[in-house]
Amino acid sequence: MAYLSNILFAILLISSIFYFRRNLLFIKRNILLGKNIDRMDRPKERWLNMFRVAFGQSKMLIKPISGTLHLIVYIGFVIINIELLEIVLDGLFGTHRLFAPYLGSFYNFLIASFEVLAALVIISVIFFWTRRNLLNINRFRNKEMKGWPKKDADFILYFEIILMSLFLLMNATDLLLQNWEVPNYTKAGFFPVSQFITPYFTSFSIQTLILFERTFWWLHITGILLFLNYLYYSKHLHILLAFPNTFFANLDTKGKFENNKTVKKEVELILDPNIDSYATVESGSVPSKFGASDVLDLNWVQLMNSYTCTECGRCTSECPANQTGKLLSPRKIMMDTRDRLEEVGANISVNGFFKDDGNQLLDNYISQEELWACTSCNACVEACPVGIDPLSIIMDMRQYLVMEQSSAPIDLNNMMINIENNGAPWPFNSQDRLLWANEN
């Protein structure tokens, strides 16, 4: 019977890892559909940025209360899952607390730390659930958070409460079995939290307690493996992608925009006296499309940004356009980009290549009104806890509208016409610029 249990656990573990790997490869394939961009420069700065922002949670702590509680959940998630290695090995080999004989008294410290963190995680998650569902916080009420996004956020919170509770229940029943010196239950560990749960189980027989302990054990490890594979369908992909996302983040000065190389070359041909005035831009250097109208026009870092989005809404809550009632929500820009990328990826999986489906990111997902509402202030980029850049997508799509469709708000078109005709944004002839000096 014991061997059958080990075999069933091995099948569960291998199947979960296989499914998780398959989904990761699907995400990787989708991200690499984006255009190439070099983000391997300044490696020292990139490593520091990743450790500071992703590992150190520095931007989360700007909001001290929610940031600290998130840090507790983050540390708890990472450290408590160290025990996952022991649970996995116990499941494969039929052992009990395999590491205890090798770690001695340090093992007691580890188990105690895990329990305290598990309790703190439960408290933090209850706080997050309350904020999200009971308090009237605007960034959780935006229309893009209706339906699945709200359910997904709540599912994750329920998952974490259940997993931590099962961990403590497993330890509580295990502690009783240890104290009663039941065979195969190694006496090891210190249980500062679950010892307060044990009185609720003292009236049960040893066989019933073993059944309880094994049930909690199986539910806990199965829940972890389900959570692992749920990540693919959830905004909590940022648990994995926050690290590469912060490493490959744009390190240039905020507010600096990269010139379109083709346009820059054309301007240089016109204005630079050191360049042959009869020279032309090589046809091979002219892109097939200026800007972006769909996800395949974006670069792979922008696509990774979309998968990394935590949907926390800090970007939207800081956006001045959104605050003044405009349609723009930077969070929605990232969510729409991800949804369209998933649609394109599914199309490729079915057909072996992208078959035109009549949809695109522009207009079908993101409206022109949203794009032109942006003030390009960079507040969304500064606010993001994991270095996501919605502004770069907005600017690329604007470039497409202007350069490919000659579509822009009338005031902007007038300004560009004035610059072209008068060399300034104002509708005054350059010869009349100094007339004001003649006025009394």
Side-chain angles (χ1 to χ4, degrees):
M1 182 67 180
Y3 290 120
L4 177 61
S5 175
N6 298 344
I7 292 170
L8 289 174
F9 177 74
I11 293 172
L12 174 65
L13 180 65
I14 293 170
S15 300
S16 298
I17 293 173
F18 173 82
Y19 192 68
F20 176 68
R21 179 181 177 274
R22 191 198 72 165
N23 287 337
L24 274 188
L25 290 176
F26 184 72
I27 291 170
K28 179 183 176 182
R29 191 280 309 272
N30 284 358
I31 290 173
L32 294 180
L33 291 173
K35 293 183 176 180
N36 189 38
I37 184 174
D38 181 16
R39 285 289 171 85
M40 293 303 295
D41 59 322
R42 301 150 72 180
K44 183 178 179 180
E45 289 182 57
R46 295 193 177 281
W47 282 110
L48 287 173
N49 191 59
M50 184 178 73
F51 280 107
R52 179 174 58 85
V53 178
F55 281 102
Q57 303 279 290
S58 60
K59 297 186 79 172
M60 284 298 303
L61 294 171
I62 291 173
K63 296 181 182 290
I65 297 177
S66 59
T68 300
L69 292 174
H70 186 276
L71 185 63
I72 290 171
V73 174
Y74 166 69
I75 293 173
F77 181 84
V78 172
I79 294 180
I80 290 173
N81 280 311
I82 293 174
E83 194 190 19
L84 181 62
L85 178 59
E86 182 183 56
I87 293 175
V88 167
L89 293 176
D90 282 345
L92 290 173
F93 301 118
T95 54
H96 177 261
R97 299 199 176 273
L98 179 63
F99 293 162
Y102 304 100
L103 298 178
S105 60
F106 183 64
Y107 185 82
N108 295 343
F109 171 77
L110 282 178
I111 297 300
S113 301
F114 296 158
E115 289 217 339
V116 171
L117 280 170
L120 290 174
V121 167
I122 291 173
I123 294 170
S124 299
V125 169
I126 291 172
F127 174 82
F128 288 139
W129 186 90
T130 302
R131 289 175 74 241
R132 187 171 287 275
N133 292 281
L134 300 183
L135 302 182
N136 190 26
I137 298 176
N138 287 334
R139 63 190 172 103
F140 298 137
R141 307 288 182 186
N142 289 66
K143 62 180 181 180
E144 68 264 20
M145 296 306 294
K146 307 295 182 183
W148 170 249
K150 183 184 185 306
K151 291 179 182 177
D152 174 43
D154 286 338
F155 286 162
I156 289 294
L157 297 178
Y158 299 145
F159 246 124
E160 290 173 344
I161 290 176
I162 291 170
L163 289 178
M164 295 302 103
S165 299
L166 287 170
F167 171 72
L168 294 174
L169 289 167
M170 177 184 72
N171 281 353
T173 50
D174 189 284
L175 174 60
L176 273 179
L177 292 168
Q178 289 182 35
N179 290 339
W180 292 350
E181 298 182 350
V182 175
N184 300 321
Y185 281 87
T186 306
K187 194 169 182 60
F190 177 59
F191 307 91
V193 178
S194 58
Q195 65 178 335
F196 296 104
I197 306 174
T198 54
Y200 296 98
F201 293 96
T202 52
S203 61
F204 294 100
S205 67
I206 289 178
Q207 290 302 318
T208 304
L209 268 179
I210 292 175
L211 178 62
F212 274 135
E213 189 274 335
R214 287 291 84 193
T215 301
F216 294 143
W217 186 94
W218 273 99
L219 289 175
H220 179 64
I221 186 62
T222 303
I224 289 174
L225 295 175
L226 285 173
F227 180 83
L228 181 70
N229 284 288
Y230 178 71
L231 290 180
Y232 169 73
Y233 305 97
S234 165
K235 68 173 188 142
H236 271 60
L237 265 175
H238 76 272
I239 292 174
L240 304 175
L241 292 180
F243 302 100
N245 198 81
T246 49
F247 181 85
F248 292 113
N250 185 5
L251 298 181
D252 289 339
T253 304
K254 296 294 184 292
K256 177 183 177 182
F257 293 108
E258 184 179 354
N259 289 324
N260 184 291
K261 293 179 181 179
T262 305
V263 175
K264 181 181 178 182
K265 186 65 177 177
E266 288 278 9
V267 173
E268 286 175 344
L269 289 174
I270 297 170
L271 300 179
D272 193 336
N274 298 317
I275 295 179
D276 181 4
S277 58
Y278 293 100
T280 57
V281 177
E282 298 86 352
S283 59
S285 65
V286 178
S288 58
K289 178 192 289 187
F290 288 99
S293 62
D294 209 350
V295 289
L296 297 180
D297 303 321
L298 300 172
N299 64 59
W300 64 267
V301 173
Q302 292 170 318
L303 299 186
M304 183 170 63
N305 280 180
S306 72
Y307 272 123
T308 311
C309 179
T310 69
E311 298 177 11
C312 67
R314 290 193 181 193
C315 55
T316 294
S317 66
E318 295 291 332
C319 176
N322 187 272
Q323 289 177 8
T324 54
K326 304 294 193 303
L327 193 61
L328 174 64
S329 168
R331 170 174 56 190
K332 179 180 177 295
I333 297 293
M334 302 315 302
M335 293 170 68
D336 287 343
T337 302
R338 181 187 60 214
D339 291 346
R340 174 56 179 164
L341 181 56
E342 281 285 296
E343 185 177 51
V344 169
N347 182 313
I348 294 173
S349 295
V350 170
N351 300 300
F353 61 94
F354 178 63
K355 183 178 180 180
D356 186 11
D357 57 1
N359 291 334
Q360 61 176 3
L361 186 61
L362 179 63
D363 295 328
N364 295 108
Y365 284 83
I366 300 173
S367 68
Q368 296 186 29
E369 182 181 351
E370 292 173 78
L371 296 174
W372 292 116
C374 177
T375 66
S376 67
C377 68
N378 253 301
C380 57
V381 184
E382 287 285 355
C384 181
V386 289
I388 292 170
D389 187 358
L391 180 58
S392 67
I393 296 176
I394 292 171
M395 298 306 291
D396 282 353
M397 296 182 74
R398 277 183 173 183
Q399 186 178 106
Y400 172 82
L401 288 172
V402 172
M403 300 191 68
E404 294 285 347
Q405 294 192 341
S406 300
S407 176
I410 186 168
D411 290 339
L412 184 58
N413 274 331
N414 289 338
M415 182 195 73
M416 290 188 287
I417 291 170
N418 289 332
I419 290 174
E420 182 178 2
N421 295 333
N422 305 324
W426 304 282
F428 307 112
N429 190 291
S430 60
Q431 295 177 351
D432 297 334
R433 287 179 185 171
L434 293 178
L435 291 180
W436 64 272
N438 299 327
E439 296 180 5
N440 295 325

